[in-house]
Amino acid sequence: MNTTLTSDHLVIVRDSFADKLLDLAKEALAADEVIPYLGPGLLGLNCAEPPVPHTPEVVAAALNARAPAPSRIRTNMWSVAQFIEQRRHRRTLQAWMTEIFASPVRPTLLHAWLARLPLSLIIDSWYDSAMRTALVEAGRTDVVEIQGVTRANEIGNIWTKTYDLSGRELDARSGAKTVLYAPHGSSRPSQNFLVADSDYVEVLTEIDIQTPIPDVVKERRITRGFFFVGCRFNDQMLRTYARQIMKRSRGPYCTVMDAEILTRNEARFLAASGITVIDMPLSQAAARLLGTGKAAGCGQD
């Protein structure tokens, strides 16, 4: 069947229906009607193995290699980071995350394509800064990046910092054409990482009333939907952030995912959020968006 409705009322589309929905998503992106929400899985589109971790589990392994954590938390990035912060201090965690994400990441062809579109808002939910690099390489001068910051390093009611693409910190108010929002921080330009459980204590307390989310993000989502690519929602933290960033947006919502590997909680979240699953390999979906007619598996030279 081209379309499946699960017992949780999750809509999954395949084959020609999936192709049609991707074509509609491409048109909507070009018209600035949907917001791309990028996850770490997007880095897997490059030919070579990404030079930085592209799953939370790989980050957990990299941190664990530096400071072995108890076995019960060893695969959980947020818990391992919290263990390090408690045992070795925040500065150590910050330094190790900076090391882990030090290697520059080449943007994929999909990053480069998005960088050329007249998008009002892009969400980048990983630390690699490939989307920022793509915007720089596209010669964009009408972009600001807003990054989530840990309260551990701040005095006062500061949730985010704003930068131009040269890395200069700006006033939070901006009329930029495109806002790149990195809610969990980014490796560049200032190594802002929300990664330990403690980083999220106050954020999650306030996020239901939207305090940590920048006003410009809340304004620009109202008339738009979301297109999730390279994302998983197999952790409560990831689901909470996506839910709150989508809040009060108009829709529609869709995601490119392998429906066979969805966890029960992921399926429930997607169904409850009204997110349609395009059941297709990410490389195939990227190729259709890019109009290449073949699997999109390489970044630019």
Side-chain angles (χ1 to χ4, degrees):
M1 293 178 63
N2 284 342
T3 304
T4 299
L5 182 64
T6 72
S7 58
D8 292 319
H9 305 294
L10 172 62
V11 178
I12 301 172
V13 297
R14 302 181 177 90
D15 304 325
S16 61
F17 281 26
D19 289 342
K20 178 61 176 176
L21 189 52
L22 274 175
D23 292 343
L24 291 172
K26 181 176 182 177
E27 293 174 6
L29 286 164
D32 192 24
E33 294 173 352
V34 297
I35 299 161
Y37 191 117
L38 312 180
L42 191 54
L43 299 185
L45 288 176
N46 274 329
C47 288
E49 182 71 15
V52 299
H54 60 294
T55 69
E57 292 78 14
V58 178
V59 175
L63 290 171
N64 188 71
R66 289 162 168 82
S71 58
R72 69 181 184 280
I73 65 169
R74 198 163 291 166
T75 60
N76 185 294
M77 177 181 75
W78 300 274
S79 297
V80 175
Q82 181 65 33
F83 174 83
I84 291 169
E85 182 175 73
Q86 290 176 334
R87 300 300 195 282
R88 301 292 189 95
H89 200 272
R90 177 73 198 191
R91 288 192 296 271
T92 300
L93 174 61
Q94 187 88 8
W96 286 350
M97 286 294 292
T98 300
E99 288 176 8
I100 290 167
F101 283 92
S103 297
V105 179
R106 293 296 309 140
T108 68
L109 294 175
L110 191 57
H111 285 112
W113 176 68
L114 291 170
R116 296 191 296 269
L117 296 180
L119 295 162
S120 293
L121 180 62
I122 302 169
I123 311 296
D124 189 349
S125 67
W126 199 234
Y127 308 111
D128 57 89
S129 79
M131 189 66 236
R132 159 186 264 271
T133 301
L135 290 161
V136 171
E137 292 180 353
R140 297 287 300 274
T141 59
D142 54 353
V143 178
V144 297
E145 180 174 16
I146 304 176
Q147 297 182 2
V149 297
T150 177
R151 301 295 291 276
N153 295 333
E154 303 299 332
I155 299 174
N157 195 33
I158 297 173
W159 302 96
T160 61
K161 290 187 176 181
T162 303
Y163 305 90
D164 64 17
L165 292 183
S166 72
R168 181 168 55 101
E169 189 171 349
L170 305 173
D171 184 271
R173 295 180 295 276
S174 172
K177 168 58 185 174
T178 298
V179 171
L180 174 62
Y181 176 41
H184 304 282
S186 181
S187 57
R188 290 169 176 79
S190 298
Q191 296 80 50
N192 294 315
F193 299 105
L194 274 77
V195 63
D197 284 335
S198 58
D199 292 334
Y200 292 98
V201 171
E202 290 183 81
V203 177
L204 294 180
T205 300
E206 296 282 340
I207 201 167
D208 193 50
I209 57 173
Q210 300 280 286
T211 306
I213 299 176
D215 288 341
V216 67
V217 173
K218 291 184 275 192
E219 292 162 5
R220 297 189 181 198
R221 71 187 175 187
I222 292 172
T223 59
R224 296 177 173 89
F226 281 83
F227 177 64
F228 297 89
V229 57
C231 299
R232 291 295 304 273
F233 303 106
N234 53 346
D235 185 275
Q236 182 63 30
M237 189 81 73
L238 303 175
R239 294 191 291 271
T240 297
Y241 260 76
R243 183 183 299 111
Q244 295 299 332
I245 290 172
M246 291 169 62
K247 201 170 189 176
R248 302 189 183 97
S249 60
R250 184 180 67 185
Y253 314 109
C254 62
T255 182
V256 178
M257 296 184 75
D258 180 355
E260 293 298 317
I261 64 171
L262 289 176
T263 68
R264 181 173 298 179
N265 284 334
E266 278 183 297
R268 287 174 176 168
F269 163 74
L270 293 167
S273 302
I275 302 173
T276 298
V277 174
I278 300 172
D279 186 12
M280 180 184 293
L282 183 55
S283 61
Q284 183 181 336
R288 190 166 187 92
L289 290 169
L290 298 170
T292 62
K294 59 183 179 180
C298 296
Q300 296 173 301
D301 295 326

